[in-house]
Amino acid sequence: MEVSNEYAVQMHGITKTFGTFCALNQVDLDVKRGTIHSLLGENGAGKSTLMNVLYGLYQADEGEIYLNGEKVDITNPNVAIEHGIGMVHQHFMLVDNFTVTQNIILGNETTSHMGVLDMKKARENVKKLVEKYGLEVDPDAKIEDISVGMQQRVEILKALYRGADLLILDEPTAVLTPQEIEDLIGIMHNLIADGKTIIIITHKLKEIKESSDTCTIIRRGQYVDTVKVADVDEEELASKMVGRQVQLVVEKTPAKPGETIFEVDHLNVKDDRGLPAVNDLSLKVHAGEIVGIAGIDGNGQEELIEAITNLSKTESGTIKIRGTEIQNTSPRNVVNHKIATIHEDRQKRGLVLDFTVAENTVLEKYRTAPYSKGGMLNRAEIGKFANQLIKDYDVRPEDCANHPARGLSGGNQQKIIIGREVANEPDLLIAMQPTRGLDVGAIEYVHKTLIRERDQGCAILLISLELDEVMSVADTIDVIYKGQIVDSFKQGEVDEKTIGLLMAGGKQNGKDS
Amino acid sequence: MLNDISLLIGNTFMYSAPLIFGALGGVISERSGVVNLGIEGMMTVGAFVGAAVGFFSGNAWVGFLVAGLAGGLFALLHAVAAVTFKADQTISGIALNLIGPGLALFLCRLCFSGATMSQPVPHKLPKILGGAQSNIVAQNFNFDITVILAFLVMMAMWFILYRTKWGLRIRSVGEHPAAADTLGINVNRTRYTCVLVSGILAGFGGAAMTLAVIQQFTPTAISGQGFIALAAVIFGKWTPQGAYAACLLFGFAQALSVFPSLAHSAIPSEVLAMLPYILTIVVLILFVGRSVAPKEDGIPYEKGVR
Amino acid sequence: MEKTAKILKKPITSTIIAIVCGFAVAAIVLAVAGYNPGSAFGALFSGIFSRPKYISNVIIKATPITLTALSVAFAYKVGLFNIGAEGQYIVGAVAANIVGYLCNFPPVIEIPLVILAGMVAGALWGGIVGLLKAKFGIHEVLTSIMLNWIAFYFSNLVVNSAAFHQPNSTAAYPVNASSYTMLLPNWKTSDAGMAAMSGTKWLREVMLKTDVNFGFLIAIAAAVFIWMLLYRSRKGYELRAVGLNHDAAEFAGIPVNKNIVITMLIAGALAGLAAALAITGTNPHRISTLSAFENNGFNGLSVAFIAGSSPIGCIFAGLLFGGLLYGGQSIQANIGAPSEIINIMIGTIVFFVALTAVVPKLAVRLEKRGMRNAK
């Protein structure tokens, strides 16, 4: 494509290798000024790497970058910022114990003299920006005290504060509710109207359709295509992204719920700051049923799980598995009562990354025969079990049993965890965000496994921030808001809009919760 | 009575001054995300260089300044390991604690014909009221100049950390280096600078011992002060003012153990010497509890790795 | 290429590189100071190997630091930094001294009793650290440093107390001879012993001129025990899980706090064992007034790091450290260079141990390159 000043950004022939791994191979990207341009690809396709090159965090090995028709050499983020490029990273780059204002001015501080901070002036500047773009946020709040949606606004403000004309948003909707996403798209259109250009990195097809003008697809570091969004449908985008036909709908038969396996009754839990987080919450899960909890991050999901798994204490109420109360005992007691949990944070809670894969497969049952005997481990049995699991769950590479789990890809790590938890033959399987950070193929696999376990009579509690996932996988959908189940639906009974409204604190349906 | 109290106060400040320099060095390094277990070694280097340069130049101030320089140079080793090589900072710090005293004694023997003690410096660093005072209380309050310097450094560090852009940047590098990096703040350079300053301050701390408290370098001039300073950093929750207060407590402890009217009492001096450490633990249990280090303290920063 | 990568990946390779660097730096320092590094190292080696009694003394010197290193390494595997080994050693020595002095049973009871006393005292000292961390979340480094000083003054308190102070000395009364752990302490000075050994010169030298004792054998046994505990037992699995990722361990039902306390109890017991063996096995069989820390615990830190926190590695690193410390004295005696060159050398080795941790990472990269080229 010709270089022209109609384009805010043109990246031509970008190649980037890490050691011997080729992350980007001759990738092109042309973004017209004043448009919203999507960059689509699976996890690890090289989207973020390409944007990090544009932002100066990485240097390309080959290729040229043009901004508004002029060739530039972006050697570090400072140069990018000078050229009016702003980036909102997927994992927010915010200092938790700093205030909103401190985070916004960091690196470009308002000073009175001799480097002394002028916080009063800084606050005023931030307020002005907040008003101009309608990005409501309290300048004096600490980051650790505000919601994820708010934090994202702070990130956008950070870029605007630096005078960004081109905004790069990395997976901006991953943690937002449908309403928040709508707001964000509104904000994005405000920005376009103001003459800005936006690139969004995403693997969510629906949002591309809703927000963008143009879409560039890359796959495994290779440029695939650039299309006008209006001309293509979601299936087409998906197959370009994955490189084969994909099933976007989860296939399953209707659930045949059995007896009540798991019951939470009038549960109250406080968060670590002592504020009520779970509020008189009740729910039931039956055998052979997937109950999905839909809700915005920070509405008590985490505290609910921590209470169920006994990582934290409850204030009042009961948690019962097959009629036995388990609240305020110990994590081990939970495991012993055949509750298995796939934690959302697999690297923190799910795996001991520096243990071998084999050691990780027995994290709960290392104490039982045949895996240990007389206080000593039986390494042969552990190895045998691990290899079976690796085979059953198609973990790659297949000879990984004696290698550290750290070396596996996210999808394979997740397979180890799921395999391990399912092998515990649980009565209740709790899955928190089980597909977070996985690519399309792995997501399909996880969903199939959950449904298979359901069909074998397991009770499953699915907690996800991705409304799509809850809607398509769960048989019963409970909506959580401010620590309470505000409503409950059978699958197919309800549309996304209604649930989105309830998640955001909208009116209840008149039903009892 | 007044004499006793003033003596106690005077000694408290005297003993705490070297600790304060060391602890402030620890604070600045750890706030930028580099754990510094090597304060002891850096202080020993400063203690020797201060005394030796003070002796040969005949000027304690020259000794003091060169001691800071030497501490800083020595700290560069830690910076190279911790920042450039992304090495285990605990190990590298411990290594400095071995090399520092080894080097100090090695050089001492070379410079002072085989002795492990330096010759006394002709004049110590000055006292705030000048020479000896006739009034005992005034004499007790006739602090070493290092006591005042230590206080000023603490104030300056507090101001820099919390009121200037550099402080904001240093703290961001210790808490979330990736965020700082994306905003164009040079993480490695910030950490290098902070470790360097840490060494300079620790060097001053050592020299404050051998140029103000005592008058020469001895093998035990610095024996454990660096670790006490480290404890003060944690006790003071990684803030300059907190570390300063903690150092005063430890200084008070030392002052108490040489306090005449207690030394002649029935309480064994060892028990007196022990008390402050026991007290520290009690205070920790009752009031302080979990102290939270800067989030990325001790973790090397690698681009693109979270 | 693959072969090189494989060699580089072995932890021992990094250690050897670090040791070589330590010698190189020491050589440079010596040369700059005007000494001949060759003759200095010659003196060092002959100070270690040239006579049987030197070798024996190196082993004796290595015994306590091997055990304190084991204490540090073990705690490190569970994610705890046991800078308190120094204090645990001191209280261990005090307890062993007191019990060995007050009790006088036949050796078969006395020796285990004295050693147990040292271990229990050390365990108690370490246990406090573990308990405070588990219960109140207090940083173990902070409590350890405090407890080191408390132990220091406590030891002096005991030495100077009326009940234990030996008049006209700076030390406590020694332990009773029934607690000695030297090899055949009575027999070797008896006529029969002298006669039996008269034919073997080296044996006589080692037996009579050094405090050759059982300590190092116990240290080896302890290292093997700790290795088995960590890598072959169920408890060790728990401990390592806690050390590598306590969040995951907790989530899987492993009691984290309990294991922290257990770890510090064991680590403390190892440091106490080191002290008890030093009291029972070597002259003067008693504690003296401390004017500064004797570094038995702090040296353990260095040894543990040189060993890469491997329990078995601690044995070899301990011997290396003991050899350098003991042989280093000959450098000063023979060529006049300050013996502190040894501290510089050891420090440099530890420093390079930290730096060369990148070597295996480089190897992985090298290996990948090899694989790609092969395709």
Side-chain angles (χ1 to χ4, degrees), chain B residues 34 45 71 123 147-148 210 216 243 272 294:
Chain B
V34 180
V45 168
H123 305 285
V147 170
I148 306 300
T210 53
Q216 64 190 141
L272 286 178

Side-chain angles (χ1 to χ4, degrees), chain A residues 55 57-58 77-78 81 89 91-98 102 105-109 111 114-117 158 162, chain B residues 31 159 162-169 171-172 175-176 178-185 295 301 303-306:
Chain A
Y55 193 64
L57 282 171
Y58 299 144
N78 279 337
I81 292 166
H89 295 264
H91 305 285
F92 295 151
M93 295 290 180
L94 297 171
V95 182
D96 279 350
N97 58 2
F98 277 19
Q102 284 175 330
I105 64 169
L106 181 63
N108 194 4
E109 299 85 354
T111 51
M114 300 268 294
V116 178
L117 293 170
K158 253 165 79 178
R162 286 166 175 75
Chain B
R31 281 319 277 261
F159 188 80
Y162 298 106
R163 287 290 178 270
T164 70
K165 62 177 185 180
W166 300 293
L168 197 66
R169 291 174 183 194
R171 288 187 290 140
S172 73
E175 292 284 339
H176 197 331
D181 194 13
T182 55
L183 296 175
I185 294 167
K295 244 188 210 142
Y301 174 59
K303 269 186 194 224
V305 179
R306 276 185 55 89

Side-chain angles (χ1 to χ4, degrees), chain C residues 84-85 87-99 113-129 147 151 154 264-273 275-276:
Chain C
Q88 293 148 19
Y89 182 96
I90 294 173
V91 293
V94 171
N97 197 157
I98 291 177
V99 172
L113 190 68
V114 172
I115 289 179
L116 196 69
M119 290 176 74
V120 168
L124 180 77
W125 224 240
I128 295 174
V129 174
L147 284 170
F154 176 66
M264 286 311 299
L265 283 172
I266 296 175
L270 285 166
L273 173 65

Side-chain angles (χ1 to χ4, degrees), chain C residues 297-317:
Chain C
F298 291 128
N299 285 342
L301 291 176
S302 314
V303 174
F305 290 139
I306 293 175
S309 302
S310 136
I312 304 299
C314 284
I315 300 172
F316 298 100

Side-chain angles (χ1 to χ4, degrees), chain C residues 60-79:
Chain C
I60 291 164
K61 195 130 201 161
T63 305
I65 47 180
T66 301
L67 281 164
T68 50
L70 205 53
S71 162
V72 174
F74 174 68
Y76 208 64
K77 288 279 180 204
V78 194

